[in-house]
Amino acid sequence: MAAATRRISAFLSRSLTSPPPFLLSKGSVEWTVFSGYGTAAAIENPTTPSVQVNYTQLLINGSFVDSASGYVIAHVAEADAEDIDRAVSASRKAFDEGPWPRMTAYERSMVLFRFADLIDKHTEELATLETWDNGKTYEQAANIELPMISRLIRYYAGWADKIHGLTVPADSPHHVQTIHEPIGVAGQIIPWNFPLLMFSWKIGPALACGNTVVLKTAEQTPLSALYAAKLLHEAGLPPGVLNVVSGFGPTAGSALCRHKQVDKLAFTGSTQTGKTVLELAAKSNLKPVTLELGGKSPFIICKDADVDQAVELAHFALFFNQGQCCCAGSRTYVHESVYDEFLEKAKARALNRRVGDPFKAGIEQGPQVDSEQFEKILRYIRSGIESGATLEAGGERIGSKGYYIQPTVFSNVKEDMLIAKDEIFGPVQAILKFKDIDEVIRRANGSGYGLAAAVFTQDIDTANTLSRALKVGTVWVNCYNVFDAAVPFGGYKMSGQGREKGIYSLSNYLQVKAVVTPLKNAAWM
């Protein structure tokens, strides 16, 4: 079939004047809007963002092109193995022959700085696409996530000309130096819960180090990354350095993992998929892999905690982004002396959470990303009820249209219940009671995950004991979800390997070469 006959339509050419699919049931032409959780659904005039969706094709070698094997799936081009091969070939040529790795580090940094400026300039468009794609609130995307993204790009722009090796003293008359070189073509796969944030976490260090990239977006959320990639080319990125493909894991994702011209893989997503990524990489060319995977993070509230503050922080830790966060504080451990007070206040906070149209001001929670995730969360809620946990709030969908779920709170949760063991990835808070520090350390570390944890206490000794005892990659003390650009993020155990952000992520995209040269008649050693 000729490429022209495979052109993907709809989203490319129409403005956002109709409601996004996550707000509609099949055949519906109205939006369902909720002013608060628990209220009956009301039909109102839809929010109509002015931003147009202009980029939905594949970005390969600096140009937007059709999929070689594409067909209409939600009006976005789908990449398959042939498209991955085209993207990798463009990336390979850009690395082996192109200007990007050969630019001065300062020149690369200037491209990234200009990109960050363009992100700030186009916040409205990017935030709208992020909400349109994912269902998260516009206010969250525009006011929280977009500033974090431009800040992170500037952070790595600043690193570009500060990557250097060492002079190493040897035990013989030799001059020894180490050189840090870009690793080559980086394959990157990002998830649907924070599409733009994960886009920036991946490309920032890779490009700063001089690599080229083939990035696969999640099939649910392709739009914002394509728009951002277009801005990056406007900032001066050469063709082929960043290629963005939209597709499914078993086809496009698998092909990227197996490709022998890809020198490194970075994946963020579920632990089960991460195992597959690692296996495919090993079976192809043994390319190195970094993985940021699932979590079941404990949020520990000690007996001396300020209960009102702990309630609000625990609520934020769990319900942020519709609960669709890998490091969500999804096991809320509360000391028995404050358990009853905490439970009542946590229940009241959940009941007051404002759920509805994510484009409307003041809304705290939008819909879940898609029907699959929506149904999965409801199954876990049913499981919690059937296993004997006490349903304190929520537990049902809101209305009959859209993928809205009531903020849900369970008490009397036990470690052997699925809601305490599995990553639900939804607005379901599981509250567990504990008696002493040794007990909660043992129980918190009993999970196969180890991504993050929180400690809420006014005692510095308790904070130090817990933060060192917990087997996780991040411990937040009296705070949560602090994602500063310089702070590394990643997990222990089945929550992954390697680190994102900060100085630690640079090593993921560099090779270290030792250069040894004999010294003749050296004046000194």
Side-chain angles (χ1 to χ4, degrees), residues 172-197:
S172 58
H174 292 87
H175 172 76
V176 182
Q177 67 182 91
T178 60
I179 300 173
H180 291 181
E181 298 180 342
I183 200 166
V185 176
Q188 302 180 327
I189 301 174
I190 61 174
W192 49 258
N193 58 334
F194 292 97
L196 271 179
L197 203 62

PDB file of all heavy atoms in Angstrom, residues 172-197:
ATOM      1  N   SER A 172      53.272   2.470  36.880  1.00  0.00           N
ATOM      2  CA  SER A 172      54.340   2.311  35.892  1.00  0.00           C
ATOM      3  C   SER A 172      54.434   3.602  35.086  1.00  0.00           C
ATOM      4  O   SER A 172      53.564   4.474  35.187  1.00  0.00           O
ATOM      5  CB  SER A 172      54.009   1.124  34.974  1.00  0.00           C
ATOM      6  OG  SER A 172      52.761   1.330  34.340  1.00  0.00           O
ATOM      7  N   PRO A 173      55.475   3.768  34.274  1.00  0.00           N
ATOM      8  CA  PRO A 173      55.625   5.018  33.513  1.00  0.00           C
ATOM      9  C   PRO A 173      54.633   5.106  32.359  1.00  0.00           C
ATOM     10  O   PRO A 173      54.980   4.894  31.190  1.00  0.00           O
ATOM     11  CB  PRO A 173      57.071   4.953  33.022  1.00  0.00           C
ATOM     12  CG  PRO A 173      57.389   3.497  32.947  1.00  0.00           C
ATOM     13  CD  PRO A 173      56.626   2.867  34.083  1.00  0.00           C
ATOM     14  N   HIS A 174      53.401   5.368  32.696  1.00  0.00           N
ATOM     15  CA  HIS A 174      52.343   5.511  31.701  1.00  0.00           C
ATOM     16  C   HIS A 174      51.457   6.689  32.084  1.00  0.00           C
ATOM     17  O   HIS A 174      51.175   6.914  33.262  1.00  0.00           O
ATOM     18  CB  HIS A 174      51.482   4.249  31.597  1.00  0.00           C
ATOM     19  CG  HIS A 174      52.203   3.076  31.033  1.00  0.00           C
ATOM     20  ND1 HIS A 174      52.950   2.211  31.819  1.00  0.00           N
ATOM     21  CD2 HIS A 174      52.304   2.611  29.754  1.00  0.00           C
ATOM     22  CE1 HIS A 174      53.472   1.279  31.059  1.00  0.00           C
ATOM     23  NE2 HIS A 174      53.103   1.493  29.801  1.00  0.00           N
ATOM     24  N   HIS A 175      51.018   7.405  31.072  1.00  0.00           N
ATOM     25  CA  HIS A 175      49.985   8.425  31.272  1.00  0.00           C
ATOM     26  C   HIS A 175      48.631   7.754  31.053  1.00  0.00           C
ATOM     27  O   HIS A 175      48.397   7.146  30.007  1.00  0.00           O
ATOM     28  CB  HIS A 175      50.156   9.580  30.285  1.00  0.00           C
ATOM     29  CG  HIS A 175      49.016  10.558  30.323  1.00  0.00           C
ATOM     30  ND1 HIS A 175      48.873  11.472  31.330  1.00  0.00           N
ATOM     31  CD2 HIS A 175      47.964  10.751  29.481  1.00  0.00           C
ATOM     32  CE1 HIS A 175      47.778  12.186  31.127  1.00  0.00           C
ATOM     33  NE2 HIS A 175      47.222  11.769  29.999  1.00  0.00           N
ATOM     34  N   VAL A 176      47.753   7.836  32.044  1.00  0.00           N
ATOM     35  CA  VAL A 176      46.455   7.175  31.967  1.00  0.00           C
ATOM     36  C   VAL A 176      45.355   8.213  32.139  1.00  0.00           C
ATOM     37  O   VAL A 176      45.363   8.989  33.105  1.00  0.00           O
ATOM     38  CB  VAL A 176      46.302   6.086  33.049  1.00  0.00           C
ATOM     39  CG1 VAL A 176      44.955   5.387  32.897  1.00  0.00           C
ATOM     40  CG2 VAL A 176      47.449   5.082  32.969  1.00  0.00           C
ATOM     41  N   GLN A 177      44.454   8.235  31.178  1.00  0.00           N
ATOM     42  CA  GLN A 177      43.306   9.127  31.283  1.00  0.00           C
ATOM     43  C   GLN A 177      42.040   8.354  30.954  1.00  0.00           C
ATOM     44  O   GLN A 177      42.083   7.343  30.247  1.00  0.00           O
ATOM     45  CB  GLN A 177      43.439  10.321  30.331  1.00  0.00           C
ATOM     46  CG  GLN A 177      43.369   9.943  28.859  1.00  0.00           C
ATOM     47  CD  GLN A 177      43.552  11.132  27.933  1.00  0.00           C
ATOM     48  OE1 GLN A 177      44.674  11.441  27.533  1.00  0.00           O
ATOM     49  NE2 GLN A 177      42.452  11.793  27.626  1.00  0.00           N
ATOM     50  N   THR A 178      40.930   8.798  31.511  1.00  0.00           N
ATOM     51  CA  THR A 178      39.636   8.217  31.148  1.00  0.00           C
ATOM     52  C   THR A 178      38.845   9.244  30.353  1.00  0.00           C
ATOM     53  O   THR A 178      38.878  10.443  30.643  1.00  0.00           O
ATOM     54  CB  THR A 178      38.831   7.796  32.388  1.00  0.00           C
ATOM     55  OG1 THR A 178      38.586   8.935  33.213  1.00  0.00           O
ATOM     56  CG2 THR A 178      39.573   6.743  33.182  1.00  0.00           C
ATOM     57  N   ILE A 179      38.155   8.747  29.356  1.00  0.00           N
ATOM     58  CA  ILE A 179      37.316   9.585  28.499  1.00  0.00           C
ATOM     59  C   ILE A 179      35.879   9.095  28.626  1.00  0.00           C
ATOM     60  O   ILE A 179      35.622   7.887  28.539  1.00  0.00           O
ATOM     61  CB  ILE A 179      37.764   9.506  27.031  1.00  0.00           C
ATOM     62  CG1 ILE A 179      39.213   9.975  26.882  1.00  0.00           C
ATOM     63  CG2 ILE A 179      36.847  10.351  26.142  1.00  0.00           C
ATOM     64  CD1 ILE A 179      39.772   9.763  25.488  1.00  0.00           C
ATOM     65  N   HIS A 180      34.940  10.005  28.842  1.00  0.00           N
ATOM     66  CA  HIS A 180      33.526   9.657  28.884  1.00  0.00           C
ATOM     67  C   HIS A 180      32.907   9.955  27.531  1.00  0.00           C
ATOM     68  O   HIS A 180      32.803  11.115  27.127  1.00  0.00           O
ATOM     69  CB  HIS A 180      32.814  10.447  29.983  1.00  0.00           C
ATOM     70  CG  HIS A 180      33.223  10.032  31.361  1.00  0.00           C
ATOM     71  ND1 HIS A 180      32.690  10.587  32.498  1.00  0.00           N
ATOM     72  CD2 HIS A 180      34.128   9.092  31.790  1.00  0.00           C
ATOM     73  CE1 HIS A 180      33.235  10.030  33.561  1.00  0.00           C
ATOM     74  NE2 HIS A 180      34.114   9.118  33.156  1.00  0.00           N
ATOM     75  N   GLU A 181      32.495   8.897  26.843  1.00  0.00           N
ATOM     76  CA  GLU A 181      31.951   9.033  25.497  1.00  0.00           C
ATOM     77  C   GLU A 181      30.466   8.692  25.484  1.00  0.00           C
ATOM     78  O   GLU A 181      30.013   7.835  26.261  1.00  0.00           O
ATOM     79  CB  GLU A 181      32.687   8.087  24.536  1.00  0.00           C
ATOM     80  CG  GLU A 181      34.168   8.386  24.411  1.00  0.00           C
ATOM     81  CD  GLU A 181      34.869   7.432  23.459  1.00  0.00           C
ATOM     82  OE1 GLU A 181      34.307   6.357  23.169  1.00  0.00           O
ATOM     83  OE2 GLU A 181      35.983   7.757  23.017  1.00  0.00           O
ATOM     84  N   PRO A 182      29.693   9.311  24.590  1.00  0.00           N
ATOM     85  CA  PRO A 182      28.274   8.930  24.471  1.00  0.00           C
ATOM     86  C   PRO A 182      28.155   7.465  24.078  1.00  0.00           C
ATOM     87  O   PRO A 182      28.968   6.942  23.311  1.00  0.00           O
ATOM     88  CB  PRO A 182      27.730   9.860  23.394  1.00  0.00           C
ATOM     89  CG  PRO A 182      28.939  10.365  22.659  1.00  0.00           C
ATOM     90  CD  PRO A 182      30.057  10.381  23.648  1.00  0.00           C
ATOM     91  N   ILE A 183      27.119   6.822  24.581  1.00  0.00           N
ATOM     92  CA  ILE A 183      26.996   5.387  24.390  1.00  0.00           C
ATOM     93  C   ILE A 183      26.510   5.025  22.995  1.00  0.00           C
ATOM     94  O   ILE A 183      26.745   3.935  22.503  1.00  0.00           O
ATOM     95  CB  ILE A 183      26.067   4.788  25.471  1.00  0.00           C
ATOM     96  CG1 ILE A 183      26.291   3.285  25.615  1.00  0.00           C
ATOM     97  CG2 ILE A 183      24.606   5.111  25.206  1.00  0.00           C
ATOM     98  CD1 ILE A 183      25.656   2.698  26.866  1.00  0.00           C
ATOM     99  N   GLY A 184      25.802   5.954  22.315  1.00  0.00           N
ATOM    100  CA  GLY A 184      25.353   5.690  20.943  1.00  0.00           C
ATOM    101  C   GLY A 184      23.879   5.947  20.757  1.00  0.00           C
ATOM    102  O   GLY A 184      23.355   7.006  21.112  1.00  0.00           O
ATOM    103  N   VAL A 185      23.194   4.962  20.203  1.00  0.00           N
ATOM    104  CA  VAL A 185      21.746   5.055  19.957  1.00  0.00           C
ATOM    105  C   VAL A 185      21.014   4.539  21.199  1.00  0.00           C
ATOM    106  O   VAL A 185      21.168   3.379  21.576  1.00  0.00           O
ATOM    107  CB  VAL A 185      21.332   4.242  18.722  1.00  0.00           C
ATOM    108  CG1 VAL A 185      19.813   4.262  18.550  1.00  0.00           C
ATOM    109  CG2 VAL A 185      22.019   4.774  17.474  1.00  0.00           C
ATOM    110  N   ALA A 186      20.233   5.408  21.808  1.00  0.00           N
ATOM    111  CA  ALA A 186      19.481   5.041  23.010  1.00  0.00           C
ATOM    112  C   ALA A 186      18.025   4.787  22.642  1.00  0.00           C
ATOM    113  O   ALA A 186      17.350   5.665  22.090  1.00  0.00           O
ATOM    114  CB  ALA A 186      19.573   6.147  24.055  1.00  0.00           C
ATOM    115  N   GLY A 187      17.537   3.594  22.937  1.00  0.00           N
ATOM    116  CA  GLY A 187      16.117   3.295  22.814  1.00  0.00           C
ATOM    117  C   GLY A 187      15.431   3.605  24.134  1.00  0.00           C
ATOM    118  O   GLY A 187      15.903   3.181  25.195  1.00  0.00           O
ATOM    119  N   GLN A 188      14.339   4.327  24.078  1.00  0.00           N
ATOM    120  CA  GLN A 188      13.660   4.762  25.297  1.00  0.00           C
ATOM    121  C   GLN A 188      12.157   4.497  25.166  1.00  0.00           C
ATOM    122  O   GLN A 188      11.565   4.801  24.139  1.00  0.00           O
ATOM    123  CB  GLN A 188      13.924   6.244  25.559  1.00  0.00           C
ATOM    124  CG  GLN A 188      15.408   6.567  25.696  1.00  0.00           C
ATOM    125  CD  GLN A 188      15.677   8.041  25.954  1.00  0.00           C
ATOM    126  OE1 GLN A 188      14.955   8.914  25.474  1.00  0.00           O
ATOM    127  NE2 GLN A 188      16.712   8.330  26.717  1.00  0.00           N
ATOM    128  N   ILE A 189      11.563   3.953  26.215  1.00  0.00           N
ATOM    129  CA  ILE A 189      10.138   3.629  26.221  1.00  0.00           C
ATOM    130  C   ILE A 189       9.522   4.276  27.452  1.00  0.00           C
ATOM    131  O   ILE A 189       9.955   4.019  28.581  1.00  0.00           O
ATOM    132  CB  ILE A 189       9.914   2.107  26.247  1.00  0.00           C
ATOM    133  CG1 ILE A 189      10.573   1.455  25.023  1.00  0.00           C
ATOM    134  CG2 ILE A 189       8.423   1.785  26.283  1.00  0.00           C
ATOM    135  CD1 ILE A 189      10.529  -0.067  25.040  1.00  0.00           C
ATOM    136  N   ILE A 190       8.517   5.122  27.235  1.00  0.00           N
ATOM    137  CA  ILE A 190       7.936   5.882  28.343  1.00  0.00           C
ATOM    138  C   ILE A 190       6.488   5.458  28.592  1.00  0.00           C
ATOM    139  O   ILE A 190       5.819   4.934  27.701  1.00  0.00           O
ATOM    140  CB  ILE A 190       8.024   7.400  28.097  1.00  0.00           C
ATOM    141  CG1 ILE A 190       7.262   7.820  26.833  1.00  0.00           C
ATOM    142  CG2 ILE A 190       9.476   7.837  28.016  1.00  0.00           C
ATOM    143  CD1 ILE A 190       7.193   9.323  26.622  1.00  0.00           C
ATOM    144  N   PRO A 191       5.973   5.685  29.796  1.00  0.00           N
ATOM    145  CA  PRO A 191       4.625   5.256  30.157  1.00  0.00           C
ATOM    146  C   PRO A 191       3.593   6.344  29.903  1.00  0.00           C
ATOM    147  O   PRO A 191       3.914   7.452  29.484  1.00  0.00           O
ATOM    148  CB  PRO A 191       4.760   4.991  31.658  1.00  0.00           C
ATOM    149  CG  PRO A 191       5.730   6.046  32.103  1.00  0.00           C
ATOM    150  CD  PRO A 191       6.711   6.217  30.965  1.00  0.00           C
ATOM    151  N   TRP A 192       2.336   6.011  30.231  1.00  0.00           N
ATOM    152  CA  TRP A 192       1.225   6.911  29.947  1.00  0.00           C
ATOM    153  C   TRP A 192       0.841   7.811  31.114  1.00  0.00           C
ATOM    154  O   TRP A 192       0.063   8.739  30.951  1.00  0.00           O
ATOM    155  CB  TRP A 192      -0.014   6.127  29.514  1.00  0.00           C
ATOM    156  CG  TRP A 192      -0.399   4.963  30.371  1.00  0.00           C
ATOM    157  CD1 TRP A 192      -0.180   3.646  30.109  1.00  0.00           C
ATOM    158  CD2 TRP A 192      -1.083   4.990  31.635  1.00  0.00           C
ATOM    159  NE1 TRP A 192      -0.667   2.861  31.117  1.00  0.00           N
ATOM    160  CE2 TRP A 192      -1.243   3.663  32.069  1.00  0.00           C
ATOM    161  CE3 TRP A 192      -1.598   6.016  32.437  1.00  0.00           C
ATOM    162  CZ2 TRP A 192      -1.874   3.326  33.269  1.00  0.00           C
ATOM    163  CZ3 TRP A 192      -2.224   5.696  33.639  1.00  0.00           C
ATOM    164  CH2 TRP A 192      -2.360   4.364  34.038  1.00  0.00           C
ATOM    165  N   ASN A 193       1.358   7.566  32.304  1.00  0.00           N
ATOM    166  CA  ASN A 193       0.855   8.334  33.456  1.00  0.00           C
ATOM    167  C   ASN A 193       1.433   9.738  33.541  1.00  0.00           C
ATOM    168  O   ASN A 193       0.759  10.670  33.968  1.00  0.00           O
ATOM    169  CB  ASN A 193       1.082   7.566  34.766  1.00  0.00           C
ATOM    170  CG  ASN A 193       2.534   7.225  35.015  1.00  0.00           C
ATOM    171  OD1 ASN A 193       3.330   7.095  34.092  1.00  0.00           O
ATOM    172  ND2 ASN A 193       2.886   7.065  36.276  1.00  0.00           N
ATOM    173  N   PHE A 194       2.699   9.922  33.140  1.00  0.00           N
ATOM    174  CA  PHE A 194       3.318  11.245  33.079  1.00  0.00           C
ATOM    175  C   PHE A 194       4.058  11.358  31.746  1.00  0.00           C
ATOM    176  O   PHE A 194       5.296  11.350  31.714  1.00  0.00           O
ATOM    177  CB  PHE A 194       4.289  11.452  34.246  1.00  0.00           C
ATOM    178  CG  PHE A 194       3.627  11.538  35.589  1.00  0.00           C
ATOM    179  CD1 PHE A 194       3.540  10.429  36.407  1.00  0.00           C
ATOM    180  CD2 PHE A 194       3.086  12.738  36.034  1.00  0.00           C
ATOM    181  CE1 PHE A 194       2.931  10.493  37.647  1.00  0.00           C
ATOM    182  CE2 PHE A 194       2.475  12.828  37.276  1.00  0.00           C
ATOM    183  CZ  PHE A 194       2.385  11.701  38.084  1.00  0.00           C
ATOM    184  N   PRO A 195       3.341  11.469  30.640  1.00  0.00           N
ATOM    185  CA  PRO A 195       3.997  11.381  29.331  1.00  0.00           C
ATOM    186  C   PRO A 195       5.100  12.413  29.110  1.00  0.00           C
ATOM    187  O   PRO A 195       6.209  12.056  28.709  1.00  0.00           O
ATOM    188  CB  PRO A 195       2.840  11.584  28.352  1.00  0.00           C
ATOM    189  CG  PRO A 195       1.622  11.188  29.105  1.00  0.00           C
ATOM    190  CD  PRO A 195       1.877  11.573  30.525  1.00  0.00           C
ATOM    191  N   LEU A 196       4.826  13.677  29.377  1.00  0.00           N
ATOM    192  CA  LEU A 196       5.837  14.709  29.129  1.00  0.00           C
ATOM    193  C   LEU A 196       6.956  14.678  30.157  1.00  0.00           C
ATOM    194  O   LEU A 196       8.120  14.906  29.825  1.00  0.00           O
ATOM    195  CB  LEU A 196       5.187  16.097  29.120  1.00  0.00           C
ATOM    196  CG  LEU A 196       4.668  16.590  27.776  1.00  0.00           C
ATOM    197  CD1 LEU A 196       4.038  17.967  27.927  1.00  0.00           C
ATOM    198  CD2 LEU A 196       5.787  16.649  26.731  1.00  0.00           C
ATOM    199  N   LEU A 197       6.615  14.425  31.397  1.00  0.00           N
ATOM    200  CA  LEU A 197       7.639  14.365  32.432  1.00  0.00           C
ATOM    201  C   LEU A 197       8.614  13.233  32.144  1.00  0.00           C
ATOM    202  O   LEU A 197       9.840  13.401  32.232  1.00  0.00           O
ATOM    203  CB  LEU A 197       6.973  14.179  33.797  1.00  0.00           C
ATOM    204  CG  LEU A 197       7.775  14.613  35.019  1.00  0.00           C
ATOM    205  CD1 LEU A 197       8.081  16.097  34.991  1.00  0.00           C
ATOM    206  CD2 LEU A 197       7.012  14.266  36.293  1.00  0.00           C
TER     207      LEU A 197
END
